[in-house]
């Protein structure tokens, strides 16, 4: 990703900071998602992930993971989420994503860097066509992080809301999908 490939930045009308509200907006945007909801919130060992990654994770992502297993949207976008007792597998997934990012997407000295660089990118989802959905980890807390999308076509862009709000707006069609195809707001378990 090079600075000259930056398409732009999109800002939601209102950034949703409450995890419950962000999830409710996503569930309205993807009505079938509620059929995948866990009967009880999962108890996850966030310390395993956060200590190994060297950072806390955003509250909206943690809230989503406690209520849902891994799912795909529109048979296009995979949202991998931790499972109780399998946090080390999730950590491996984060590390694999960082390796791919460092090897294939990020050029040293040009554009954003991968985490653990200050403000570095941390992947949280990907498409079946190798588009990457990441957090830009700058800000005082993970709740301040923004979403960075790197498309397979080489263009990349920022969204100044959280990951769950991004998913909702992408599925609603209220987000300009720059370099991404429109998405069918259908959820399937993975």
């Amino acid at each position: 990703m090079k600075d000259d490939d930056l398409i732009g930045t999109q800002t939601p009308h209102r950034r949703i900071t409450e995890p419950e509200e962000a999830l409710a907006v996503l569930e309205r945007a993807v009505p079938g998602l509620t059929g995948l909801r866990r009967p009880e919130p999962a108890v996850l060992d966030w310390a395993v992930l956060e200590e190994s990654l060297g950072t806390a994770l955003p509250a909206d992502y943690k809230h989503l993971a406690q209520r849902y297993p891994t799912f795909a949207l529109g048979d296009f976008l995979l949202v991998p989420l931790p499972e109780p007792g399998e946090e080390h597998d999730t950590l491996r997934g984060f590390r694999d994503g960082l390796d791919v990012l460092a090897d294939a997407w990020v050029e040293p000295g040009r554009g954003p860097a991968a985490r653990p660089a200050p403000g570095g990118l941390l992947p949280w989802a990907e498409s079946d066509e190798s588009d990457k959905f990441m957090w830009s980890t700058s800000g005082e807390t993970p709740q301040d992080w923004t979403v960075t999308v790197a498309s397979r076509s080489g263009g990349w862009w920022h969204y100044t809301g959280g990951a769950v709000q991004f998913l909702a707006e992408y599925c609603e069609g209220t987000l300009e999908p720059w370099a991404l195809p429109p998405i069918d707001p259908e959820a399937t378990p993975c």
Side-chain angles (χ1 to χ4, degrees):
M1 296 182 336
K2 297 178 279 194
D3 286 331
D4 53 349
D5 291 332
L6 176 64
I7 296 169
T9 299
Q10 293 188 52
T11 301
H13 176 64
R14 178 179 70 88
R15 183 172 179 143
I16 299 172
T17 58
E18 291 299 319
E20 296 83 7
E21 183 183 359
L23 185 57
V25 170
L26 178 59
E27 289 172 340
R28 282 193 302 275
V30 185
L33 183 63
T34 57
L36 305 179
R37 192 180 247 259
R38 298 176 193 275
E40 296 292 324
V43 177
L44 297 162
D45 188 352
W46 292 108
V48 167
L49 295 168
E50 294 175 333
E51 288 172 11
S52 294
L53 291 170
T55 183
L57 293 169
D60 64 333
Y61 172 81
K62 291 165 75 169
H63 189 72
L64 178 68
Q66 290 166 334
R67 278 138 187 92
Y68 285 96
T70 295
F71 61 90
L73 293 170
D75 290 326
F76 171 72
L77 197 160
L78 176 66
V79 182
L81 298 166
E83 286 292 326
E86 298 177 13
E87 291 85 357
H88 288 286
D89 293 335
T90 301
L91 181 58
R92 242 186 324 278
F94 273 119
R95 287 190 179 138
D96 290 348
L98 285 168
D99 289 345
V100 167
L101 197 60
D103 290 344
W105 284 87
V106 177
E107 296 177 44
R110 301 187 77 184
R115 183 146 180 92
L121 299 173
L122 180 61
W124 57 267
E126 69 179 294
S127 79
D128 65 352
E129 296 180 13
S130 297
D131 302 290
K132 305 294 182 210
F133 302 85
M134 302 161 286
W135 289 294
S136 294
T137 63
S138 57
E140 289 186 30
T141 72
Q143 281 53 259
D144 299 324
W145 294 357
T146 59
V147 171
T148 295
V149 178
S151 74
R152 65 199 168 281
S153 65
W156 59 281
W157 50 283
H158 301 293
Y159 171 79
T160 61
V164 176
Q165 185 175 4
F166 170 86
L167 293 172
E169 290 191 7
Y170 184 29
C171 289
E172 287 173 335
T174 56
L175 178 77
E176 177 61 44
W178 292 333
L180 295 174
I183 192 167
D184 179 11
E186 181 180 322
T188 53
C190 296

